[in-house]
Amino acid sequence: MSTTPVTWFEIGTDRPDEAQRFYGELFGWTFEEQGTPERSYRVTGAGGDQGIAGGIWATNGAAPNYAVFYAQVADVAQTCRQAEAAGGKVLVPPRSNDKGLTFAHLLDPTGNHFGVFTPPAGG
């Protein structure tokens, strides 16, 4: 049986400018508008050739804000500090599992929950 890979992510928010600023500052992502003036949709190549692409959808209040993804980072604790400095909040402080994977859960300034992780050494 084959598995189905995740190949796209989407962040739905009623504050797309703030979300774009936050993720741009935190992860260096750039965005290109591909929606309409009435319904913004900002696409990012986010992960380059190692990760997946995604986008920010302006919900205009028609849907709850949402985001579910993990970004691989070099230093989870440092990323948490950067997220807080950029207006985010740490929901689950950095912790490591028994395999050595370190992760944290955060909130962006628009209320979206996401995670960051560093794989185990040598993995």
Side-chain angles (χ1 to χ4, degrees), residues 33-70:
E33 179 62 65
Q34 293 188 355
T36 65
E38 299 79 33
R39 186 63 69 144
S40 174
Y41 199 89
R42 304 160 191 210
V43 175
T44 179
D49 44 344
Q50 292 184 354
I52 63 172
I56 295 175
W57 175 52
T59 64
N60 297 337
N65 288 350
Y66 63 88
V68 179
F69 63 89
Y70 280 84

Side-chain angles (χ1 to χ4, degrees), residues 68-92:
V68 179
F69 63 89
Y70 280 84
Q72 183 174 331
V73 299
D75 185 326
V76 170
Q78 176 62 28
T79 301
C80 288
R81 288 189 292 275
Q82 290 173 312
E84 288 178 319
K89 294 181 181 167
V90 175
L91 290 175
V92 175

Side-chain angles (χ1 to χ4, degrees), residues 3-5 7 17 24 27 30-32 42-43 48 52-53 84 86 88 95 116 119:
T3 60
T4 302
T7 60
D17 291 337
F27 296 133
T30 59
F31 295 85
E32 178 184 329
R42 304 160 191 210
V43 175
I52 63 172
E84 288 178 319
R95 57 182 64 171
V116 295

